[in-house]
């Protein structure tokens, strides 16, 4: 579990580097970085200028830090000293960039929820032994696995581990991280794209929300030399997207797919997924809205139906066609054999979806009078079916075998209770 961190040091605006403030940067999982500084000025003499898009600082050891996208500060104070509180979008620890446009790293390392279990890579060896007689733990760090994404970008799967060797306790913990490496360098927007692509890929494998646990970076030739050996400086990237570890799925048969299913050509697979994520950005954003945000059933229905509309329009160039019912029916028919017991009549299902979409988009009591509009548990179940079909569309485009689609049904609620 990550603990609250406080980085004490000096901080300044790019335009006032000769007038640093003393303060502390607070970092906590699921919360954005927060900077509190003390300014040796009276409250009413503080400048009312717009906050620049970047702040700089150094901690007590002199290590540089860069704060990207700070908000306008909240201020309070008296006649001699004032206090400024900044909310910060991203804290980049270990390096100073003159401005956000100059952000460029050559390696990006990501640890993410569910990644270790998805990878299934371990250095522990299972050997038969009698635990009542003696216990032996056998471990060898797994070899790195490298894959080419394109002519400039590659990735590595690495298995870092930590070891605690106390008198009364021996503890070895392994994890899994993905390193993206680029000779040309990764701009800030490209780093965001890679993080989002990995998150979304893992989601379709586990069908759960996925958040980063840790994000690090390195810059070519940025480090120090010790005994003729170059040691790169680690750069840490922190934002509110960072979360704590969660319990994951250990049973392989409950995953839609794992690394072993795509290992032989994982570089090509991930490249294809990045292209797909860019191509279907709008429908995926509509879909992920329902995954990462608790929504009323009616709003969730609108997000899912818009995902259908946008997906069909992009895939088949049908954005000029107004036949929404036909689009839903076509996608449903495509996966009808995997919807036994859920959707038995694709046309009837498409009609119900269309009338509900129309009702919640632009209210018309006619559809309610005809009994087509559903609420409560029925609307919840209708959304479940839409979600499954959309997932089948995406997984098919990723090349995942349709034999795995039965595993999607584990998302379905066994029983729905309505508190009415």
């Amino acid at each position: 579990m990550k603990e609250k961190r406080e980085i004490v040091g000096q901080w300044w605006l790019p335009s006032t580097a000769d007038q640093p403030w003393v303060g502390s940067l607070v970092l906590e999982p699921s919360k954005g970085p927060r900077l509190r500084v003390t300014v040796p000025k009276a409250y009413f003499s503080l400048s009312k200028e717009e906050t620049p898009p970047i702040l700089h600082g150094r901690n007590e050891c002199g290590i540089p830090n860069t704060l990207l996208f700070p908000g306008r500060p909240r201020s309070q104070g008296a006649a001699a000293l004032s206090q400024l509180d900044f909310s910060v979008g991203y804290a980049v620890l270990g390096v100073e960039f003159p401005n956000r446009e100059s952000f460029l790293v050559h390696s990006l390392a990501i640890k993410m929820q569910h990644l270790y279990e998805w990878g299934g890579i371990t250095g522990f060896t299972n050997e038969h032994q009698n635990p009542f007689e003696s216990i032996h733990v056998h471990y060898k760090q797994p070899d790195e696995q490298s894959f080419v994404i394109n002519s400039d970008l590659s990735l590595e799967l690495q298995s870092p581990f930590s070891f605690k060797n106390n008198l009364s306790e021996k503890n070895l913990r392994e994890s899994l991280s993905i390193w993206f490496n680029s000779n040309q360098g990764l701009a800030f927007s490209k780093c965001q794209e890679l993080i989002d692509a990995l998150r979304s890929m893992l989601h379709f494998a586990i069908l759960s929300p996925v958040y980063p646990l840790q994000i690090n970076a390195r810059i070519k030739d940025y480090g120090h030399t010790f005994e003729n050996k170059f040691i790169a400086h680690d750069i840490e990237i922190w934002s509110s997207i960072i979360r704590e570890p969660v319990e994951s799925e250990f049973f392989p048969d409950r995953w839609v797919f794992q690394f072993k299913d795509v290992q032989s050509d994982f570089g090509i697979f991930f490249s294809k997924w990045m292209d797909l994520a860019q191509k279907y950005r709008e429908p995926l954003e509509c879909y992920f809205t329902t995954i990462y945000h608790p929504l009323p059933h009616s709003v969730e229905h609108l997000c899912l139906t818009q995902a259908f509309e946008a997906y069909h329009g992009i895939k088949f160039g049908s954005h000029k066609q107004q036949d929404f019912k036909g689009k839903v029916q076509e996608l449903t028919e495509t996966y009808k054999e995997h919807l036994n017991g859920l959707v038995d009549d694709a046309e009837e299902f498409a009609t119900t979806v269309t009338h509900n979409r129309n009702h919640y988009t632009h209210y018309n009591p006619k559809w309610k009078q005809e009994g087509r509009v559903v609420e409560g548990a029925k609307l919840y179940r209708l959304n479940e079916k839409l979600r499954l079909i959309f997932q089948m569309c995406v997984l098919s485009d990723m090349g995942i075998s349709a034999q795995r689609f039965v595993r999607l049904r584990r998302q379905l609620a066994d029983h729905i209770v309505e508190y009415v």
Side-chain angles (χ1 to χ4, degrees), residues 184-320:
Q184 296 180 5
L186 304 170
F188 186 78
S189 59
K190 188 63 177 181
C191 291
Q192 288 182 308
E193 180 186 341
L194 291 171
I195 293 168
D196 290 343
L198 182 58
R199 287 182 70 192
S200 55
M201 184 202 73
L202 287 174
H203 164 75
F204 280 97
I206 188 66
L207 306 176
S208 297
V210 180
Y211 291 95
L213 300 172
Q214 185 175 328
I215 304 171
N216 293 86
R218 289 178 181 173
I219 299 174
K220 189 185 303 181
D221 300 328
Y222 180 63
H224 65 277
T225 301
F226 179 74
E227 295 183 349
N228 297 322
K229 182 179 180 181
F230 179 76
I231 302 174
H233 286 324
D234 280 327
I235 299 166
E236 185 177 358
I237 302 173
W238 190 285
S239 74
S240 60
I241 199 176
I242 300 293
R243 294 292 198 275
E244 295 183 350
V246 295
E247 292 293 329
S248 193
E249 181 58 65
F250 280 92
F251 295 101
D253 290 343
R254 289 175 62 85
W255 287 83
V256 180
F257 69 95
Q258 289 181 286
F259 174 61
K260 62 184 179 182
D261 299 312
V262 295
Q263 182 176 3
S264 61
D265 57 353
F266 184 58
I268 296 174
F269 178 86
F270 194 80
S271 175
K272 180 180 178 181
W273 171 245
M274 290 179 63
D275 292 340
L276 186 147
Q278 287 297 311
K279 179 179 179 180
Y280 294 106
R281 182 179 59 83
E282 182 177 341
L284 284 170
E285 286 180 349
C286 293
Y287 165 79
F288 280 124
T289 299
T290 72
I291 301 299
Y292 288 96
H293 303 280
L295 303 173
H297 300 335
S298 56
V299 178
E300 186 176 84
H301 185 75
L302 294 179
C303 290
L304 290 170
T305 51
Q306 179 58 22
F308 267 62
E309 179 87 72
Y311 175 84
H312 196 283
I314 295 170
K315 187 174 182 66
F316 301 106
S318 61
H319 53 278
K320 293 184 179 180

Side-chain angles (χ1 to χ4, degrees), residues 57-73:
R58 290 185 181 272
N59 68 9
E60 295 174 301
C61 299
I63 297 175
N65 300 306
T66 303
L67 306 182
L68 300 175
F69 310 105
R72 295 194 65 178

Side-chain angles (χ1 to χ4, degrees), residues 38-46 75-84:
T38 300
V39 181
K41 290 183 179 180
Y43 172 73
F44 292 104
S45 67
L46 293 177
S75 55
Q76 54 181 313
L81 294 175
S82 300
Q83 182 176 283
L84 298 180

